[in-house]
Amino acid sequence: MPLVDGSAWALLRELDDPVHLEFPRDYDHGVERARFERLVVGLARRFGCACAVDRNVQDASHHGDVGVPAGATAGGEPITVRVSNFGGMAVVSLGLPGGGDEREEPALFDGGDRRAVEEELGVLGYRVIPRRLLRERYDGVVPFPGGATWWIRFFDYL
């Protein structure tokens, strides 16, 4: 389920570790990959389609993306879920994450589409982070040269 701002900020700061940039100390890739694959299957079942999946992520703080094609959604917009390597966090957006066309404003989402995605994430223990918080300037414990955003810290390539 989506976290409210205060809870999301607390989680982001709790997970921010200057030693572990790509994944947390206790990260188990096999366990996280299995959970991610269950998400892919669940979204495909919910939307009655084959989802586009990016599993080939390296040098990044995120695990992968699952894309529901526009033709399978009630709102007629593609939906992308990006899963972080940290804390079971996920971001839900219309369009492609990081591609400049992503939008998360709830008014733009078809209510049933958003609920279906959030229910699948919730069943698997993922926590939805509001994308707007991740656009904020990163002021955590990792010294990023030239600055960064919270998106880069937990949901992008490093």
Side-chain angles (χ1 to χ4, degrees):
M1 283 292 140
L3 295 177
V4 294
D5 289 8
S7 298
W9 279 122
L11 180 61
L12 291 171
R13 295 201 181 281
E14 173 189 328
L15 296 172
D16 194 22
D17 180 341
V19 177
H20 300 93
L21 300 181
E22 292 182 24
F23 43 84
R25 177 186 37 214
D26 59 352
Y27 185 74
D28 184 328
H29 183 76
V31 168
E32 292 306 320
R33 178 51 55 100
R35 178 163 62 157
F36 182 78
E37 294 302 331
R38 287 192 304 275
L39 176 62
V40 172
V41 169
L43 290 174
R45 179 184 40 76
R46 284 270 187 148
F47 287 94
C49 67
C51 293
V53 182
D54 181 3
R55 297 176 181 89
N56 300 315
V57 178
Q58 295 180 20
D59 302 323
S61 56
H62 72 285
H63 188 86
D65 295 327
V66 184
V68 179
T73 67
E77 294 263 9
I79 298 172
T80 301
V81 177
R82 177 165 282 186
V83 173
S84 176
N85 286 331
F86 290 83
M89 296 188 298
V91 172
V92 180
S93 58
L94 296 173
L96 301 173
D101 68 342
E102 72 274 358
R103 301 171 314 279
E104 81 157 344
E105 294 81 10
L108 297 177
F109 270 91
D110 174 82
D113 288 344
R114 182 79 184 207
R115 265 189 311 282
V117 172
E118 289 176 353
E119 285 172 6
E120 286 300 322
L121 289 165
V123 163
L124 295 169
Y126 287 110
R127 299 179 275 190
V128 178
I129 303 295
R131 177 77 165 97
R132 64 186 155 65
L133 298 183
L134 300 171
R135 290 186 191 105
E136 296 289 326
R137 184 177 170 275
Y138 174 76
D139 61 353
V141 298
V142 177
F144 280 102
T149 62
W150 286 92
W151 172 262
I152 291 170
R153 174 64 185 96
F154 288 118
F155 287 93
D156 208 352
Y157 293 90
L158 299 173

